[in-house]
């Protein structure tokens, strides 16, 4: 089974099983990681924003225009942002590393 490594906000690394077909957001929730996902993966917020390790960024399928629009609303963007709900695990993503951002912006609460 593929693995994914989450880097928590305190810098600790957690490697977990990443079942094929699940999103990074779903895997985070299964492992009790603090990745909000306020819209439950419907591409209507940016609270599941993650920072993809630069080594993996170009391996991912390109973000859609809708995802790019939501990322524009994310807090503290870096050069390799993605929405966790939009990254679906495949065998090719075995070893993917993503960092949880230090904060999120939930526009639904503002």
């Amino acid at each position: 089974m593929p693995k994914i490594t989450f880097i928590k906000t305190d810098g600790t690394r957690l490697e977990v099983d990443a079942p094929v077909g699940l999103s990074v957001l779903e895997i985070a929730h299964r492992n009790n990681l603090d990745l909000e996902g306020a819209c439950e993966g419907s591409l209507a917020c940016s609270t599941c924003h993650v920072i993809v390790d630069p080594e993996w960024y170009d391996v991912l399928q390109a973000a859609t225009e809708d995802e790019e629009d939501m990322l524009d609303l994310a807090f503290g963007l870096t050069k390799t942002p993605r929405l966790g709900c939009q990254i679906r695990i495949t065998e090719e993503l075995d070893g993917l590393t993503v960092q949880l951002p230090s904060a999120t912006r939930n526009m639904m609460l503002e």
Side-chain angles (χ1 to χ4, degrees):
M1 175 177 301
K3 302 279 189 191
I4 183 173
T5 299
F6 290 93
I7 302 172
K8 299 180 187 181
T9 56
D10 66 3
T12 59
R13 298 170 75 88
L14 177 65
E15 183 180 77
V16 299
D17 288 337
V20 171
L22 290 185
S23 70
V24 168
L25 175 63
E26 291 167 318
I27 295 164
H29 286 177
R30 283 186 173 198
N31 289 279
N32 299 313
L33 289 164
D34 191 20
L35 188 59
E36 186 174 350
C39 73
E40 298 179 359
S42 64
L43 197 54
C45 74
S46 62
T47 60
C48 67
H49 159 238
V50 294
I51 303 158
V52 177
D53 184 288
E55 178 180 313
W56 285 97
Y57 190 75
D58 290 332
V59 176
L60 300 176
Q61 288 187 342
T64 64
E65 188 174 331
D66 288 340
E67 181 179 357
E68 292 286 348
D69 288 345
M70 286 295 106
L71 282 168
D72 287 341
L73 304 174
F75 178 84
L77 283 183
T78 64
K79 292 182 180 186
T80 58
R82 288 298 301 268
L83 296 180
C85 69
Q86 297 302 298
I87 303 172
R88 294 268 169 204
I89 298 300
T90 64
E91 291 290 344
E92 293 75 31
L93 294 180
D94 183 21
L96 176 66
T97 300
V98 298
Q99 182 176 346
L100 302 178
S102 61
T104 61
R105 178 179 295 143
N106 187 343
M107 303 301 278
M108 299 170 87
L109 299 177
E110 292 181 5

